[in-house]
Amino acid sequence: MTTTGRRALLTAGVSAAATAVLTGCTSEAPGPRRPSAAEQEAERVARAEAALRLRSVTASRSLLERYDATLAAHPALAPRLTPLRRSVAAHAKALGEGGTTVRPATATPTAAPTTATTSPEPAPVTGDPRAALKELAAAERTATDAHTAALLTAPPEYARLLASVAAAGAAHAYLLTEGARA
């Protein structure tokens, strides 16, 4: 093959590649791509699950703060409350795994309002240790009720976790009240 033949072949190859690339870059519909119905449904489900996870984690973290406040007010209860508090901390961590962020399926992401979810200050702990245990048991029951209510809309794997956490919360409430008498 001569030099002219090689150059002609190289030029033809480059021209064909450039033509293929340029035709692949054009689109019939200008503007951002609209997500399909399946993508929109997947995004809706993901947002609902993220909101559910956030509510569950918030309930568990509020309960954990209540344990911390009770332990600070009544250090003598530490041998009894520390194992339960450790369990609540593990539950809060497990409920939060999997993340709570959702990316929109649209090509142009809209700025979603991000609000910092800060839990309100826990209620002041009473000075009587027995009353403080009853209040802590009531907080356990409140968190358990929240986890149980979330079971209705939770995906199967997360529902199993919520059920386990709710059962543990019910056991904690028992140990904080009735278990003291035994």
Side-chain angles (χ1 to χ4, degrees):
M1 196 179 275
T2 64
T3 313
T4 307
R6 286 187 198 145
R7 287 186 187 148
L9 182 63
L10 182 60
T11 303
V14 169
S15 297
T19 303
V21 168
L22 290 176
T23 57
C25 291
T26 62
S27 65
E28 291 89 30
R33 181 183 74 83
R34 294 193 40 88
S36 68
E39 289 173 325
Q40 288 176 339
E41 178 64 15
E43 182 179 338
R44 185 194 65 74
V45 168
R47 285 187 188 281
E49 184 177 346
L52 173 71
R53 283 183 180 273
L54 184 61
R55 285 191 306 271
S56 298
V57 168
T58 301
S60 289
R61 286 184 182 155
S62 295
L63 180 60
L64 188 59
E65 290 172 1
R66 185 68 186 180
Y67 268 93
D68 291 341
T70 303
L71 282 167
H74 301 285
L77 295 175
R80 185 171 180 186
L81 296 182
T82 301
L84 299 177
R85 186 215 175 272
R86 232 186 338 253
S87 177
V88 170
H91 295 158
K93 182 180 178 190
L95 289 170
E97 290 177 356
T100 58
T101 59
V102 178
R103 289 185 180 82
T106 58
T108 56
T110 58
T114 55
T115 57
T117 56
T118 57
S119 55
E121 289 294 319
V125 179
T126 183
D128 178 29
R130 286 184 188 218
L133 288 176
K134 285 183 181 182
E135 290 172 357
L136 192 54
E140 279 279 7
R141 283 192 282 285
T142 300
T144 297
D145 291 344
H147 296 317
T148 303
L151 289 172
L152 298 173
T153 58
E157 192 66 29
Y158 199 65
R160 285 188 282 277
L161 177 61
L162 283 170
S164 296
V165 171
H172 290 180
Y174 173 80
L175 291 172
L176 289 169
T177 55
E178 304 298 322
R181 296 180 192 147

